[in-house]
Amino acid sequence: MPAPALRGRVTLTDIADACDLSRATVSLVLRGSPLVNSQTRARVEAEIKRQGYVYHRGAANLRRKVSSTVALVINDLSNPFFAEFAAGVDEALGAAGYVTLLGSTGESSERQQAVLTSLLEHDPAGIILSPAEGSDAARLRPLLGARTPMLVFNRALGDQWDYLALDNAHGARLATEHLLAQGHRRIAFFGGHGESSSCAERRKGWRAALTEAGIAPEPQWIVECAPTRLEAARQTGALFVRDPAPTAAVCYNDAVALGLIAGLATRGRRAGHDFAVTGFDDIPEASVSAPPLTTIAVDPRARGRQAAELILQRLRDTSTPPATTIAPVRLFVRASSQFTLPGDAA
């Protein structure tokens, strides 16, 4: 018995013929044009589903000489903050008719170069980049050239590109002032690396609040580590190498704060009872951790939507100079820090 004939790829013409419409009308439906009425759109979409048609977006882009993709490059996709951020980016880009090309660098600047090189081969309309630690703007400029708009998020990379930043210094200051109000005087800054602009800004806010309270930060109160839960847990002992040790810590981010809480537990300490902990980001887990985490809320999904809107705005207008946007933050007080230190323990 002869094998059945293989069916070729379904084409735009196949859909148009089945619906008794022109190719142009079907094309308008595929591009989400408002010029097509709802009944016609429903007919075309039903036929597309029935025949299993796949829109060749790359070919369409070549014909139109535009790209409908935006590259998103994240420095640490394992961090729930960036997962939320990426979801917000994809949500807003999708609503505008764009497809997100996602890359992750794992905090490696070398990997970042390779990921960007690969994504640029797809000729994205623009790029949203959350830089890896140690990123060098001078290395990125020749790679991107002048033709690819880019929005930098979270860590500064000079003034050549649009920049969406969190109000890092103010957020860390709010967290430190909260701990001071609880009676703490030996307050550490835990996690992150000082070479990172976001970490440096958060340390600046922590230091400013202490200085205003008449407290000179001691060098051992700054504990550096990779901004991950595992590394924070491993480095918890560094807080207690000298006596008197800190009684509270402003953490670089929520992942670090949750790692510190775990590290404290292995040493017989309880966050919110004999040591106060604050985070930064307000990832979904923060409100349900044990204990619930006091943190600086930045709404990562909303920041993702904001980043997408800013790159789309740049695609519409390439003539204006690069701009910096500072996203607001606020303090959410929960059980991890909410105890008052006795006066003789401060």
Side-chain angles (χ1 to χ4, degrees):
M1 181 176 177
L6 292 175
R7 185 185 180 193
R9 179 172 180 157
V10 179
T11 67
L12 195 71
T13 300
D14 294 329
I15 304 300
D17 289 346
C19 294
D20 195 21
L21 295 169
S22 68
R23 282 172 49 92
T25 300
V26 175
S27 180
L28 287 172
V29 172
L30 291 170
R31 285 185 277 137
S33 171
L35 299 175
V36 182
N37 67 54
S38 58
Q39 288 146 336
T40 300
R41 181 183 304 281
R43 279 174 54 210
V44 171
E45 289 173 346
E47 188 62 29
I48 286 171
K49 185 175 181 180
R50 188 185 74 80
Q51 294 200 39
Y53 174 73
V54 178
Y55 183 37
H56 197 320
R57 192 175 297 272
N61 288 341
L62 285 174
R63 290 192 296 271
R64 294 161 55 203
K65 294 184 173 55
V66 296
S67 173
S68 59
T69 63
V70 171
L72 170 62
V73 181
I74 296 296
N75 56 297
D76 182 11
L77 201 52
S78 67
N79 185 333
F81 171 86
F82 287 109
E84 285 288 302
F85 175 78
V89 168
D90 188 61
E91 178 184 309
L93 289 179
Y98 285 81
V99 172
T100 308
L101 302 176
L102 180 62
S104 180
T105 64
E107 291 287 17
S108 165
S109 58
E110 292 302 320
R111 171 69 178 158
Q112 180 172 273
Q113 293 290 116
V115 167
L116 283 168
T117 298
S118 178
L119 289 174
L120 284 167
E121 291 175 0
H122 296 272
D123 198 26
I127 296 171
I128 299 170
L129 172 67
S130 183
E133 286 193 344
S135 294
D136 183 357
R139 291 190 68 195
L140 292 173
R141 287 189 195 102
L143 180 62
L144 297 169
R147 65 186 181 86
T148 307
M150 184 166 77
L151 172 77
V152 176
F153 173 67
N154 192 44
R155 291 174 178 161
L157 269 181
D159 57 5
Q160 182 174 343
W161 300 288
D162 293 317
Y163 178 41
L164 173 59
L166 307 175
D167 200 346
N168 290 307
H170 180 59
R173 182 173 187 133
L174 288 175
T176 309
E177 288 173 346
H178 162 67
L179 294 172
L180 288 166
Q182 301 295 101
H184 297 277
R185 291 297 178 268
R186 299 190 302 277
I187 302 171
F189 188 96
F190 191 78
H193 295 120
E195 297 80 11
S196 162
S197 65
S198 58
C199 184
E201 289 164 5
R202 292 174 195 182
R203 283 188 193 173
K204 180 180 179 181
W206 161 79
R207 187 175 287 107
L210 290 179
T211 301
E212 190 170 295
I215 300 169
E218 297 186 21
Q220 66 270 22
W221 292 358
I222 295 179
V223 177
E224 291 204 347
C225 71
T228 66
R229 189 179 308 203
L230 183 59
E231 285 304 308
R234 287 172 174 165
Q235 289 297 320
T236 300
L239 288 169
F240 305 106
V241 293
R242 291 191 185 180
D243 192 28
T247 60
V250 172
C251 293
Y252 171 69
N253 64 13
D254 285 354
V256 165
L258 294 172
L260 174 57
I261 289 173
L264 290 169
T266 65
R267 288 163 175 78
R269 294 175 178 266
R270 297 171 62 195
H273 290 267
D274 52 17
F275 196 93
V277 178
T278 69
F280 202 114
D281 289 341
D282 196 30
I283 60 175
E285 188 180 347
S287 64
V288 296
S289 62
L293 179 63
T294 292
T295 189
I296 300 299
V298 304
D299 198 342
R301 191 173 289 245
R303 299 291 73 76
R305 293 193 294 268
Q306 185 178 19
E309 289 159 5
L310 287 170
I311 195 65
L312 293 174
Q313 180 180 318
R314 173 56 64 193
L315 296 181
R316 292 189 293 268
D317 179 9
T318 59
S319 62
T320 56
T324 294
T325 303
I326 307 294
V329 300
R330 56 180 173 154
L331 174 69
F332 275 180
V333 176
R334 300 188 180 108
S336 70
S337 67
Q338 200 150 357
F339 73 97
T340 302
L341 195 71
D344 59 355

